[in-house]
Amino acid sequence: MKNSAQVLSHIVNQPQYKKLGQHQCIAAVQALLPPHLQTMVTFAYVRHKVLYFVLNHPGAKQEFDIIITSIKAPLKLYPPEKCKEMEFEDIRAYVSHKPAQKSAPQKETVPYYEERSDGTFENPVKDKRLHEIIEKIRQSIEHHKQ
């Protein structure tokens, strides 16, 4: 009987899920970067046998350029297990100057509840102003109930 890892590896190796295998390979290469640099990677992709990392800060690109030479050599000699089929000749990075899209602020919706009162209750308040307010509430309830 196959376990879940075997089933997933079988699925990833099928041609229609080639992009999933690329994603796993990119994640494995990204894991080789220092943690503070990993957080500055917006996304990554492969095009024409070049692995591109899109960074969100110019300082991250400078640091990436310094570090990448020490990562490229071992990667070519010992590629990660997930990158055996996918070959890329170079690794590059650039900074995306597009502002990050903020999700649209969600409007708070006030829930609508069916009125359960029928407006028949006592109004024992002796203060005239409060008595009038409660009577307006009673009239509003009776009006909406009809």
Side-chain angles (χ1 to χ4, degrees), residues 36-41 54-67 93-95:
H36 65 281
L37 202 55
Q38 288 178 16
T39 59
M40 293 190 178
V41 173
V54 181
L55 305 171
N56 60 5
H57 194 275
K61 175 161 179 3
Q62 288 178 337
E63 189 170 347
F64 186 88
D65 290 340
I66 294 168
I67 292 174
Y94 65 91
V95 179

Side-chain angles (χ1 to χ4, degrees), residues 5-20:
Q6 291 172 332
V7 172
L8 285 175
S9 68
H10 176 72
I11 290 172
V12 169
N13 290 333
Q14 292 183 354
Q16 64 262 34
Y17 296 110
K18 180 180 165 186
K19 292 285 185 183
L20 187 58

Side-chain angles (χ1 to χ4, degrees), residues 112-123 131-146:
Y112 175 76
Y113 296 104
E114 191 73 29
E115 182 62 55
R116 294 192 290 181
S117 175
D118 59 357
T120 55
F121 53 85
E122 292 184 24
N123 188 356
H131 186 78
E132 289 175 6
I133 291 173
I134 293 175
E135 287 302 318
K136 285 182 184 178
I137 292 172
R138 179 197 317 261
Q139 291 171 0
S140 173
I141 291 172
E142 288 175 351
H143 179 314
H144 285 291
K145 197 61 173 176
Q146 295 173 359

Side-chain angles (χ1 to χ4, degrees), residues 54-92:
V54 181
L55 305 171
N56 60 5
H57 194 275
K61 175 161 179 3
Q62 288 178 337
E63 189 170 347
F64 186 88
D65 290 340
I66 294 168
I67 292 174
I68 198 62
T69 55
S70 63
I71 294 175
K72 279 184 191 178
L75 257 179
K76 288 187 180 189
L77 294 174
Y78 307 106
E81 189 67 33
K82 296 175 181 172
C83 297
K84 294 284 185 193
E85 296 171 9
M86 188 175 109
E87 292 190 22
F88 44 88
E89 297 168 354
D90 197 14
I91 300 174
R92 296 182 190 161

